[in-house]
Amino acid sequence: MHKPTVVGSVPGHRGRVIQVSTERLRYANGREYDIDFIHHPGAAAVVALDSERRVCVVRQYRHAVRDFCWEIPAGKLDPGEAPETCAVRELAEETGVRARRWQSLGVYVPAPSIFGEIIHLYLARDLELGTPAPDADEELELAWLPLAEALDRVRGGGWNDGKTAMALLRADAVRD
């Protein structure tokens, strides 16, 4: 199989974070189709795991689903920012936590059929606690709970955030 060729692009909405476009793709068989998709700058998300295998999570309101969600700390990449830098920044801002050891847990692609966001997942260990300094538009509730309990909440359907589920499962598989 071959990747299709972009033969046209029509910009749609340009928001504060995302851009919506319609692109015409030509496939190897010569047929052309229009697809709508959302451009996103990408993000980083962090499983902060302490020496007792407790994970740091934050609860915040997510308007798109009209509810509060428990999630691992995360945030979007600034222009030109490396994912690792974003992960360090977001963990410190949202939770006050700093880590001496970092490990990549790979990437998570939330909705590849329509959404171009790639979330870089990290495991942070050897933690130092500090004071959170969330962005002005963030109201966060912070909690620490055993990784096993967090995974039970994912498996039981209580926590439905995809990046959180993926990152917690991957973090649980790390042994050292």
Side-chain angles (χ1 to χ4, degrees), residues 12-66:
H13 171 75
R14 179 180 286 273
R16 187 176 57 87
V17 176
I18 63 162
Q19 300 168 34
V20 180
S21 298
T22 299
E23 290 195 350
R24 177 156 285 253
L25 302 180
R26 180 177 299 129
Y27 289 81
N29 63 9
R31 293 186 181 150
E32 294 183 4
Y33 300 96
D34 289 337
I35 64 159
D36 296 327
F37 71 102
I38 302 166
H39 301 272
H40 186 283
V46 183
V47 175
L49 193 62
D50 71 10
S51 60
E52 298 174 33
R53 289 191 60 82
R54 294 179 310 157
V55 64
C56 183
V57 291
V58 294
R59 181 177 180 254
Q60 61 186 314
Y61 181 72
R62 294 300 193 181
H63 190 68
V65 296
R66 308 292 199 273

Side-chain angles (χ1 to χ4, degrees), residues 44 77 82-89 102 120 122:
L77 299 173
E84 301 86 2
T85 303
C86 179
V88 170
R89 175 177 48 80
W102 289 86
H120 302 265
Y122 294 92

Side-chain angles (χ1 to χ4, degrees), residues 69-143:
C69 293
W70 283 101
E71 306 173 20
I72 58 174
K76 77 172 186 60
L77 299 173
D78 288 337
E81 183 178 38
E84 301 86 2
T85 303
C86 179
V88 170
R89 175 177 48 80
E90 288 295 329
L91 181 61
E93 283 179 5
E94 292 187 0
T95 68
V97 173
R98 299 198 183 280
R100 287 183 285 282
R101 281 197 307 156
W102 289 86
Q103 180 177 346
S104 173
L105 295 174
V107 298
Y108 171 66
V109 183
S113 63
I114 193 165
F115 195 41
E117 181 181 29
I118 295 173
I119 303 175
H120 302 265
L121 306 175
Y122 294 92
L123 175 60
R125 291 177 286 185
D126 293 339
L127 308 178
E128 179 182 307
L129 303 183
T131 304
D135 292 334
D137 65 345
E138 291 180 313
E139 291 183 13
L140 305 172
E141 178 183 343
L142 181 71

